[in-house]
Amino acid sequence: MAGLSREDLASRAIASEKYVRRMLATHGLRPTRQRIGLIKLLFGSGNRHVTADCLAAEARAVQMPMSLATVYNALNNFANVGLLRRLEIGVGRTVFDTSTSDHSHFFFEDSGEIADIAVDGSRLAQEIVVPEGYKIAKVDIVVRLRKAS
Amino acid sequence: MAGLSREDLASRAIASEKYVRRMLATHGLRPTRQRIGLIKLLFGSGNRHVTADCLAAEARAVQMPMSLATVYNALNNFANVGLLRRLEIGVGRTVFDTSTSDHSHFFFEDSGEIADIAVDGSRLAQEIVVPEGYKIAKVDIVVRLRKAS
DNA sequence: CTGTGTGCAAACTCTTTGCATAAGT
DNA sequence: ACTTATGCAAAGAGTTTGCACACAG
């Protein structure tokens, strides 16, 4: 892959518009003002788990208001090209993870928060007998946590 | 637990209204006509994965039409008392599993179908370091399958 | 009787879409 | 210029809720 990877950017503390633009170009996405702003928010501070709604609120907070539909479009675009990972946590709304590496998640039932776990699904995948004609696309593991009584 | 368990009923090929009524009573639910009908549909034929929508369609098919809202209420009630397991698969709609035992799921991305896998999450759970003050409520593992190319 | 469940429709939340306008190359 | 993205509002899907009526204990 030519250009800068997502990890490179994240580790660089980002912010430089130049890198963001190249990151988008690398994935075949036009560097629009909105996308650039969102990428900065998403990758500017370590791994994150965001919804369209909360990301739009953040954008508003930094004086970069944009349509909620645009945020949805952008997040879907980013996920489709591999910049983000769509999480299937089963809360009502779609959550996007800025870390695309193979890892699992804690889901805190009391607060609704999500956190990464190092445990990956690939090891587990090896012991599974896959049905004829299919291959494993992804293994999602969610550890749901409840307050200890 | 006094009375008949869900497994007992399922293995008995069910249908007897007497058992269904006791099953509901055991879990503190009134045996209304609608609930009885739904239980028969749900547990009358092996393990199943249903949505409110498809279950309502089945009820209609057997001349037991009822409001979709009632089906939603019933499914939620059943899940809350432990008769069903709510699956967090992340497709747009909520899926209920008639098997409440610890097991995982295949999700066929082409057809949207769901199938059980014997692999359980409890073993995996043992190697996870749980955050202070929390305990594991459930471990959901979904193996997403794609047509092999 | 008393309380709970049902049915219906309306409300609600999250997400996508259509179309005119704006912006990127 | 030509193409693709944005913004807005409307449409959509899935689910829940409020209230009058029906039914179970």
Side-chain angles (χ1 to χ4, degrees):
Chain A
M1 163 161 76
L4 235 49
S5 78
R6 194 192 50 71
E7 284 77 16
D8 291 339
L9 266 172
S11 64
R12 218 179 263 263
I14 233 192
S16 160
E17 210 163 296
K18 181 173 148 197
Y19 293 121
V20 178
R21 299 185 96 96
R22 203 183 313 170
M23 183 178 179
L24 286 167
T26 299
H27 291 86
L29 295 174
R30 281 192 184 176
T32 65
R33 213 177 321 118
Q34 293 84 341
R35 287 175 178 165
I36 291 169
L38 293 180
I39 290 286
K40 285 184 183 172
L41 288 174
L42 287 168
F43 299 106
S45 56
N47 285 342
R48 311 194 49 193
H49 305 99
V50 304
T51 62
D53 211 53
C54 83
L55 188 57
E58 279 185 41
R60 232 175 290 123
V62 297
Q63 312 303 321
M64 194 172 285
M66 67 189 78
S67 165
L68 184 55
T70 297
V71 176
Y72 270 106
N73 287 335
L75 286 174
N76 283 328
N77 290 154
F78 296 167
N80 291 341
V81 300
L83 281 170
L84 295 177
R85 173 175 162 189
R86 225 185 300 265
L87 296 188
E88 317 283 12
I89 301 271
V91 302
R93 50 239 174 99
T94 306
V95 176
F96 293 87
D97 190 342
T98 59
S99 167
T100 54
S101 66
D102 189 358
H103 65 283
S104 305
H105 295 95
F106 279 131
F107 176 73
F108 295 84
E109 295 193 338
D110 55 344
S111 63
E113 277 176 88
I114 294 168
D116 293 338
I117 325 177
V119 177
D120 66 46
S122 57
R123 191 162 40 83
L124 190 89
Q126 290 169 8
E127 44 184 283
I128 292 174
V129 181
V130 179
E132 267 293 309
Y134 286 92
K135 62 179 184 195
I136 295 179
K138 197 166 71 162
V139 177
D140 285 333
I141 302 176
V142 179
V143 179
R144 288 165 205 284
L145 299 177
R146 189 167 298 163
K147 273 230 163 64
S149 49
Chain B
M1 159 163 79
L4 236 51
S5 77
R6 193 192 51 69
E7 285 76 16
D8 291 339
L9 266 172
S11 64
R12 217 181 266 262
I14 235 192
S16 160
E17 210 162 298
K18 182 173 145 196
Y19 292 123
V20 178
R21 299 183 96 95
R22 202 183 315 169
M23 183 176 178
L24 286 166
T26 298
H27 292 86
L29 296 173
R30 282 193 185 174
T32 65
R33 213 178 323 118
Q34 292 83 344
R35 286 176 179 166
I36 291 169
L38 293 179
I39 290 287
K40 285 185 183 172
L41 288 174
L42 287 168
F43 299 106
S45 56
N47 286 341
R48 312 194 49 194
H49 305 97
V50 305
T51 62
D53 211 52
C54 83
L55 188 58
E58 278 185 42
R60 233 175 289 123
V62 297
Q63 312 303 320
M64 195 174 284
M66 66 188 78
S67 164
L68 184 56
T70 298
V71 177
Y72 271 106
N73 287 337
L75 286 174
N76 284 329
N77 289 153
F78 296 166
N80 291 342
V81 300
L83 281 170
L84 295 177
R85 173 174 163 189
R86 223 184 298 265
L87 296 187
E88 316 284 12
I89 300 274
V91 301
R93 49 236 172 102
T94 306
V95 176
F96 294 86
D97 190 341
T98 60
S99 167
T100 54
S101 67
D102 190 357
H103 66 282
S104 305
H105 295 94
F106 279 131
F107 175 73
F108 296 84
E109 295 193 338
D110 55 344
S111 63
E113 277 177 87
I114 295 168
D116 293 338
I117 325 178
V119 177
D120 66 46
S122 58
R123 191 162 40 84
L124 190 90
Q126 290 169 8
E127 44 185 282
I128 293 174
V129 181
V130 178
E132 267 292 309
Y134 285 92
K135 63 178 183 197
I136 294 180
K138 196 166 71 161
V139 177
D140 284 334
I141 302 177
V142 179
V143 179
R144 288 166 205 283
L145 299 177
R146 189 167 299 163
K147 273 231 164 64
S149 49

